[in-house]
Amino acid sequence: MDALIEAAGRALAAGDPLGALNRIALREDAPALALRGIALARLGDLSLGRERLRDAARAFGSKEAAARARCIVAEAEIALVSRDLGWSARALGGARDTLEAHGDLVNASHARHLEARHLLLRGRLDEADAILADIDTAPLPPALRAAHELVVAGIATRRLKTGRVHAALARAENAARAAGIPALMAEVETASRILRTTAARRMTRDDACPLLLEDVEALLASRALVVDACRHVVRHADTVVSLTRRPVLFALVRALGESWPDDVPRETLIKRAFRTRYVDETHRARLRVEIGRLRTALRSLASVSATHRGFSLAACEAREVVVLAPPDDTPHADVMALLADGEAWSSSALALALGVSQRTAQRSLDALAAANKVQAYGRGRARRWMTGAIPGFTTTLLLPGPLPSG
């Protein structure tokens, strides 16, 4: 390795992509192409950076397998940042195995972190945890230790383990300061804001009380019967009844929960569950059928009783009934939850992360664009979507992946 390549590599490690480009911008050899690709990506030109990395991988060829594997890992990182969730996990896994075989454990660990972050975006927390468990952080440089702790904090956040989140972010902050990279310290600070902003609302008959993540964790661990409008489930302790695929039943139980311990008039239930302004005998007959189905679904947690003017909800063992609503209860809030990370997403990546069809994701984006909540740039397959403004609340509870049952 010549002096210019070594100096450019040190500049990149210190978070100075312009300094790296000043040293190798005019060179066309494989190491220079690889460093140029990384530098361009860090400056925001992801597509050109990806092209230079592919050029470098071809230039290295099969004889320099480790160097070629590093290019693949760098390209996978660009794909992750650009939210290309269709990136080949097999290619990244092969590159990781090659690096481990050649003794480059630092870059192999970086590849594992990229795999874990990819799984975290898609809500596959157990698989991400398994990958992190195989990483020994002791020999890693400070920047990679900070990245590791950020992934740990992300998984703990999705699982509502706020104690683990605080500990992981504290370790990440120390590692980021040791690395001395401003962008990394800013990323840690952004992650820390999740703990200080509204995560959900506790709905009662009179008002809506904002909750932090630690408040949500405490509520789910309490003896209350929680009607969770973030995941469309009803839970008490370790018992969870999912109504995700039964929106009418969930609309009914949410209305009953918000009025607990009072009853709800039949006309109100019909309007909320069936989304109609006009009530006739057919709606009342349908309401009786749906209430019967709701009684069956909730028989282990609560009972639904008829009153003179409507129906009321009573918990079997819980002391109270609480409705947990997201901070943003408008349509397509799950799409906004993913876009709130500030990155540019394609409609296909959003569909993959949310587990819906691409057409469903596109309809949501069109509706949000019409309301001036998101904006798009690019055309065709290069089209990307971003929020016009970052929301003033965390959207953790709307992100993909299961929440704890208690």
Side-chain angles (χ1 to χ4, degrees):
M1 185 181 297
D2 59 53
L4 283 177
I5 294 294
E6 188 174 353
R10 285 199 300 268
L12 281 176
D16 182 16
L18 285 175
L21 282 177
N22 285 337
R23 293 170 172 83
I24 46 88
L26 299 179
R27 293 179 53 165
E28 296 294 331
D29 53 300
L33 286 172
L35 292 173
R36 194 192 309 173
I38 297 171
L40 288 169
R42 291 188 180 179
L43 290 171
D45 196 338
L46 301 179
S47 59
L48 188 56
R50 205 166 180 177
E51 289 179 14
R52 294 291 81 81
L53 284 167
R54 288 174 178 172
D55 293 340
R58 285 192 292 268
F60 279 123
S62 58
K63 293 184 178 180
E64 297 184 74
R68 188 169 180 271
R70 294 186 194 105
C71 292
I72 294 173
V73 172
E75 187 182 348
E77 184 171 12
I78 294 175
L80 182 70
V81 172
S82 58
R83 296 302 184 255
D84 180 7
L85 300 187
W87 167 257
S88 174
R90 181 179 298 180
L92 182 58
R96 180 200 66 217
D97 294 340
T98 299
L99 292 170
E100 289 176 346
H102 284 78
D104 189 352
L105 300 183
V106 171
N107 280 307
S109 297
H110 183 44
R112 289 187 182 276
H113 284 123
L114 293 177
E115 291 180 85
R117 289 171 62 191
H118 182 278
L119 293 168
L120 177 59
L121 276 178
R122 299 185 62 180
R124 294 158 61 177
L125 307 185
D126 291 338
E127 296 175 56
D129 241 349
I131 288 176
L132 290 183
D134 293 333
I135 300 176
D136 180 12
T137 60
L140 298 181
L144 269 185
R145 289 204 304 273
H148 177 91
E149 298 300 341
L150 283 172
V151 181
V152 171
I155 294 173
T157 300
R158 299 281 189 93
R159 288 178 169 159
L160 293 183
K161 302 296 183 182
T162 52
R164 297 180 188 175
V165 177
H166 281 289
L169 288 176
R171 294 192 297 267
E173 183 179 5
N174 292 334
R177 286 181 177 176
I181 301 176
L184 189 57
M185 288 187 278
E187 187 176 356
V188 174
E189 173 58 27
T190 299
S192 300
R193 288 196 201 109
I194 292 177
L195 298 172
R196 304 192 297 269
T197 50
T198 301
R201 295 172 297 154
R202 177 173 175 160
M203 309 295 292
T204 64
R205 289 173 295 171
D206 304 319
D207 60 1
C209 176
L211 301 177
L212 300 178
L213 271 179
E214 58 188 12
D215 300 325
V216 177
E217 181 183 15
L219 176 61
L220 296 182
S222 69
R223 298 184 63 183
L225 176 70
V226 180
V227 180
D228 187 348
C230 300
R231 295 289 173 171
H232 290 82
V233 300
V234 181
R235 64 178 81 214
H236 174 246
D238 293 329
T239 304
V240 179
V241 175
S242 176
L243 299 176
T244 305
R245 299 183 181 276
R246 308 182 77 174
V248 171
L249 297 191
F250 187 80
L252 290 172
V253 73
R254 177 171 178 174
L256 293 169
E258 288 177 357
S259 294
W260 181 89
D262 295 337
D263 61 354
V264 182
R266 289 174 176 82
E267 289 74 13
T268 302
L269 290 173
I270 289 171
K271 290 176 181 178
R272 290 192 59 171
F274 306 148
R275 299 181 182 180
T276 180
R277 290 182 294 175
Y278 306 101
V279 178
D280 57 26
E281 287 303 319
T282 61
H283 292 113
R284 292 187 177 91
R286 185 184 174 193
L287 177 63
R288 289 193 294 270
V289 172
E290 298 297 345
I291 287 292
R293 291 170 176 165
L294 182 62
R295 286 190 180 111
T296 301
L298 299 181
R299 60 183 177 273
S300 62
L301 296 177
S303 61
V304 180
S305 304
T307 64
H308 177 70
R309 65 170 188 161
F311 294 92
S312 64
L313 183 69
C316 295
E317 299 179 4
R319 292 180 176 177
E320 60 178 335
V321 178
V322 176
V323 174
L324 182 68
D328 182 5
D329 214 2
T330 57
H332 318 298
D334 52 350
V335 175
M336 289 294 292
L338 288 173
L339 293 176
D341 65 0
E343 301 293 350
W345 287 73
S346 66
S347 58
S348 59
L350 287 168
L352 194 61
L354 293 172
V356 299
S357 69
Q358 189 169 342
R359 181 57 190 151
T360 298
Q362 189 61 56
R363 280 197 296 266
S364 296
L365 290 168
D366 291 340
L368 291 170
N372 294 320
K373 292 185 176 181
V374 300
Q375 57 191 13
Y377 65 90
R379 295 184 178 181
R381 298 183 66 180
R383 192 172 182 83
R384 294 293 185 270
W385 297 84
M386 298 182 70
T387 52
I390 301 301
F393 50 79
T394 177
T395 48
T396 303
L397 303 184
L398 295 173
L399 295 173
L403 289 180
S405 59

